[in-house]
Amino acid sequence: MSDEELARRLAARTLELVDIPSESRDEAAIAQHVLSTVPGARDAGDGCVLVGDGPVVLAGHLDTVPAQENRPGRADDEAVHGLGASDMKAALAVMIELALAGRAPGTTLCFFPREELPVSESSLTPLLQREAGLREAQVAIVMEPTANAIHAGCLGNINATWTFHGVSGHSARPWLADNAIERAARAIAQLADTAPPQPAEFDGLEFVEAISVVGIEGGIARNVIPDRAVAHVNYRYAPGRSAEDADARLHALCDGDGRELDIESNAPSGPVAVSHPFVQRLIDAGTLEVAPKQAWTPVAEFARAGVPAVNFGPGDPAFAHRRDELVRIAALVRSYRTLELVLCA
């Protein structure tokens, strides 16, 4: 197949997928589309679809973030535009077209829902528990947006609620009360000073650990000093730090007199797996850049199941989740050709 024909097929397939609504928890239609499109696809339960039983897993999530008036999509000579084009309908299109062309021998294609939600709602971890063949795979390529680089490892991701307690009172006599919002403001400023973003090297790659306050709520009325304020904290931690250590560090920074931290979710970090022979062949075949994954991705779930995994996909992370989301058609072709070269060697 010429590059020109391949570009047309991949662009059309990506646009077709963009136009199928699949926001998180509403992926039934796109799962059914994959089942009816790819020969040999089977329903693996809970919205998951598997194709094949080979030792190399190509994995992609079916869901998108909520629409931002960017569906239906559109295509021009350079790119496909629309909801999920980068994250990650483009990757699904590459997976499907490889399968339809018979260019994915020795693979298992794994399509799964609810990746854009907290890891507590993951469908992939239960799928790995149900499917022994997935756990026995040699390697997994999670086709998250990487702009056709290898993004190795991934950050751990903690979401927590930070509650501040005070004493309510009349705002005309604030000295008789204890303002929980002021307590929160002082503690948040102290957290920013004592725990700024810090680089952390792991297996030769530099990640950045960051603790951010991403929301705050409080207040009773305009004439009442509040006795309670709540902040929402997000902690991204590097490979090499365990989930338990990250939990303990955040508690040590945030717990104290009149304040308490409640960890709501803790998605472990994923190790760097670039030394795996298949990954090395992929890097060599596409002359691929290798970079740290400065985000959480399902490579962590595969790693926890004993399967080495890296991120590689055609989408550009700079366009993920944006109103003007897009994927360049040349990137689709490059992703397909790189995988084809290694899988069909």
Side-chain angles (χ1 to χ4, degrees), residues 146-168:
T146 68
N148 284 319
I150 294 290
H151 284 185
C154 75
L155 296 178
N157 183 20
I158 288 180
N159 288 301
T161 298
W162 199 9
T163 303
F164 302 85
H165 301 283
V167 177
S168 60

Side-chain angles (χ1 to χ4, degrees), residues 55-73:
V56 175
V57 177
L58 302 183
H61 62 80
L62 296 166
D63 60 326
T64 68
V65 296
Q68 303 173 65
E69 300 178 338
N70 52 357
R71 191 184 60 236

Side-chain angles (χ1 to χ4, degrees), residues 19 26 31 55 80 96 106 112 155-156 168 200 207 239 252 263 303-304 314 343:
D19 286 345
D26 188 24
V80 179
I96 290 170
F112 58 97
L155 296 178
S168 60
F207 296 81
I263 303 290
R304 190 164 48 185
L343 293 172

Side-chain angles (χ1 to χ4, degrees), residues 127-191:
L127 177 66
L128 287 162
Q129 293 168 348
R130 294 195 304 272
E131 295 283 343
L134 285 178
R135 298 194 305 274
E136 294 165 1
Q138 295 176 7
V139 66
I141 308 300
V142 178
M143 295 189 66
E144 287 285 336
T146 68
N148 284 319
I150 294 290
H151 284 185
C154 75
L155 296 178
N157 183 20
I158 288 180
N159 288 301
T161 298
W162 199 9
T163 303
F164 302 85
H165 301 283
V167 177
S168 60
H170 200 297
S171 61
R173 295 176 292 278
W175 57 88
L176 297 179
D178 183 353
N179 194 322
I181 290 178
E182 291 179 358
R183 279 181 172 265
R186 289 191 295 269
I188 291 168
Q190 182 182 29
L191 179 64

